[in-house]
Amino acid sequence: MEIGLQHLTKVFPGKGRKNKNKEVVAVDDFNFVIPDGKLVGLLGPSGCGKSTTLNMISGLLKPSAGKIFFGDKEVTCLPPEERGVGMVFQNYALYPHMSVEQNIRFPLENLKGDQKLDPNQMKERVEEAAKLVKIEGLLDRKPGELSGGQQQRVAIARALVKLPRVLLLDEPLSNLDARLRLQTREEIRRIQQKTGITTVFVTHDQDEAMSISDLIVVMKDGVLQQIDSPQNVYDDPANQFVAQFLGTPPITLYDGRIEQGKLWIGNDAVLDVDQKQDQNVVIGVRPEGYILKENGHLHNEFVRTEVMGRDMSVLSKNTACQAPFVRSILSTEHLHLLQDNQAVFDLKPHKVFLFDVNDGQRLRYALSAIAESRDLE
Ligand code: ADP
Ligand code: MG
């Protein structure tokens, strides 16, 4: 089921006398389509409007403006139960006194009219859903007798048992420990691919969003920043916020400038840039964008190395860097190129992004390695 959002907006009024005029624009004019059968990650820091967006899609929250479509049909004014959505929340809220089986069956018991099921049909549906999330052996247990990961599977089964057209997950893994989080997110991906159900997955964890989404929607302060495949969001960020929000270790930012067709960090001309006009810019370099090189162009002060198995992380310093340290990921083979107190690098042009110093928008000037012939002039 394709989900279309048109000018979707939610404004919360300010609370209390003091804040009467401080309304919050939680979701600001969203226009995008969630394609049928895909898993879409809504990603952004806490408070950026992810849950608000999800709750408007589910029907739990009424938009202040704009429309929501499921396929060709407008559902903006439909109540949640008529939208055919399954929801899973962070606190999975299972009924503690009911068995797993009863918990999963619960949504089926209130079905009315031609949707009504007889006990045998319900049993079949519950068993199917339990099997899908691999808890068919636990149906007689109470939630208190399950691990956190198993409880979350029950919650997912409960959301799937009505065969929803859309599955909405709001930070479903936050209550799980690190290892279970990894496992469960792969499980969610598997279930989504097996059922082909259109799924919206809310998370503030970029790693989580990157690993399981077909498409990522990056949000900040209620404003859509970028919607793209995980790889494109990483390789081709729309602005400085997106570039900084995605990637571990994070991108390093330098205060730099363009002068006479070269890109400068401090006293180092590091790349050629196809832009005649001199200007200050913010330069972002992905950690894998550095190459250790004897006669490289960027001169950083070497701090230390941290081995990470096949690769190593080199920590260096540069006064133009906005953070205390520059972190670069390099192959251990190049370790010998570290010189006394210096880490001398060349930069891979496609791993370097330029941003406007005022608004952080991406400046798409073409970058290339410094042409050595011109160096000799
Ligand atoms: P997220 O899920 O991304 O953490 P939310 O969608 O919950 O963010 O919230 C977005 C913004 O809207 C926040 O500033 C939050 O304080 C505000 N907000 C959310 N719900 C309400 C509400 N019921 N009343 C007033 N403000 C709200
Ligand atoms: Mg939230």
Side-chain angles (χ1 to χ4, degrees):
M1 178 64 59
E2 180 184 285
I3 305 170
L5 309 183
Q6 290 184 2
H7 302 292
L8 192 67
T9 300
K10 181 68 188 180
V11 181
F12 290 110
K15 283 226 174 97
R17 241 185 353 182
K18 256 215 239 124
N19 297 318
K20 216 152 93 191
N21 300 321
K22 285 195 200 143
E23 52 184 28
V24 178
V25 184
V27 172
D28 190 359
D29 195 25
F30 274 18
N31 291 289
F32 59 86
V33 170
I34 293 169
D36 179 38
K38 300 287 187 207
L39 193 159
V40 172
L42 289 191
L43 175 67
S46 181
C48 74
K50 304 181 294 295
S51 297
T52 304
T53 306
L54 204 72
N55 290 337
M56 288 194 284
I57 296 174
S58 74
L60 292 173
L61 206 58
K62 196 173 162 303
S64 310
K67 294 178 178 175
I68 301 169
F69 290 86
F70 281 11
D72 297 332
K73 189 173 179 229
E74 191 185 341
V75 299
T76 319
C77 296
L78 276 190
E81 58 276 12
E82 287 174 36
R83 293 195 187 189
V85 296
M87 289 202 75
V88 179
F89 300 95
Q90 174 180 347
N91 49 349
Y92 11 90
L94 302 175
Y95 301 106
H97 58 285
M98 291 188 191
S99 69
V100 167
E101 181 173 10
Q102 288 167 324
N103 264 287
I104 301 175
R105 193 175 58 215
F106 191 74
L108 299 178
E109 287 170 359
N110 299 315
L111 293 179
K112 303 216 168 61
D114 56 356
Q115 285 194 308
K116 207 168 157 60
L117 302 175
D118 67 40
N120 274 334
Q121 290 171 314
M122 283 199 241
K123 187 156 186 278
E124 225 168 83
R125 283 269 200 97
V126 170
E127 278 167 7
E128 249 170 62
K131 211 164 150 193
L132 191 60
V133 303
K134 298 186 178 154
I135 48 163
E136 60 268 38
L138 307 173
L139 287 173
D140 296 329
R141 293 208 200 164
K142 293 272 166 62
E145 298 163 340
L146 302 177
S147 72
Q150 290 168 333
Q151 290 186 35
Q152 193 54 295
R153 283 170 193 239
V154 176
I156 295 169
R158 188 175 58 181
L160 291 171
V161 77
K162 274 166 75 174
L163 309 179
R165 304 183 292 173
V166 170
L167 183 62
L168 304 173
L169 305 149
D170 194 348
E171 312 236 11
L173 310 178
S174 311
N175 282 357
L176 306 179
D177 65 48
R179 200 172 53 90
L180 262 180
R181 253 202 324 264
L182 270 179
Q183 256 179 25
T184 313
R185 81 183 189 200
E186 274 152 28
E187 196 66 359
I188 287 173
R189 184 53 165 164
R190 181 187 64 77
I191 293 164
Q192 192 274 328
Q193 289 190 321
K194 187 147 184 231
T195 56
I197 190 169
T198 309
T199 300
V200 185
F201 182 99
V202 163
T203 178
H204 63 267
D205 180 338
Q206 51 102 11
D207 207 31
E208 215 164 89
M210 291 282 274
S211 64
I212 67 170
S213 310
D214 295 306
L215 269 184
I216 293 186
V217 178
V218 188
M219 305 166 51
K220 180 194 174 211
D221 298 337
V223 180
L224 179 74
Q225 305 291 307
Q226 188 165 4
I227 171 163
D228 220 326
S229 69
Q231 198 65 51
N232 284 352
V233 174
Y234 184 80
D235 288 340
D236 196 11
N239 57 41
Q240 189 178 317
F241 173 81
V242 175
Q244 277 184 286
F245 200 72
L246 287 116
T248 21
I251 197 164
T252 356
L253 299 177
Y254 297 88
D255 296 319
R257 64 193 189 282
I258 294 171
E259 234 173 71
Q260 297 184 340
K262 297 225 181 314
L263 186 64
W264 294 80
I265 294 176
N267 296 322
D268 295 332
V270 292
L271 289 172
D272 280 340
V273 56
D274 187 15
Q275 164 66 2
K276 301 281 177 296
Q277 203 183 339
D278 294 354
Q279 65 188 96
N280 289 335
V281 290
V282 173
I283 304 172
V285 185
R286 290 280 183 216
E288 68 278 20
Y290 295 85
I291 312 162
L292 273 175
K293 213 165 174 190
E294 224 164 329
N295 56 353
H297 291 83
L298 175 65
H299 298 79
N300 284 3
E301 182 190 334
F302 172 65
V303 179
R304 66 170 186 274
T305 59
E306 290 170 3
V307 176
M308 331 179 348
R310 184 168 46 94
D311 293 332
M312 68 178 178
S313 167
V314 171
L315 259 66
S316 59
K317 275 187 178 184
N318 187 304
T319 49
C321 181
Q322 292 184 1
F325 296 108
V326 175
R327 200 177 271 277
S328 45
I329 305 292
L330 299 143
S331 159
T332 39
E333 289 163 37
H334 298 125
L335 195 57
H336 66 277
L337 285 169
L338 283 168
Q339 311 164 11
D340 296 331
N341 298 321
Q342 273 205 323
V344 183
F345 299 110
D346 264 346
L347 300 178
K348 300 177 189 167
H350 66 289
K351 292 290 177 184
V352 178
F353 308 122
L354 305 183
F355 304 105
D356 188 287
V357 288
N358 296 310
D359 62 11
Q361 284 309 308
R362 181 87 178 273
L363 301 169
R364 295 180 177 276
Y365 308 141
L367 296 168
S368 53
I370 289 193
E372 296 298 340
S373 58
R374 273 198 274 154
D375 270 8
L376 300 175
E377 280 171 12

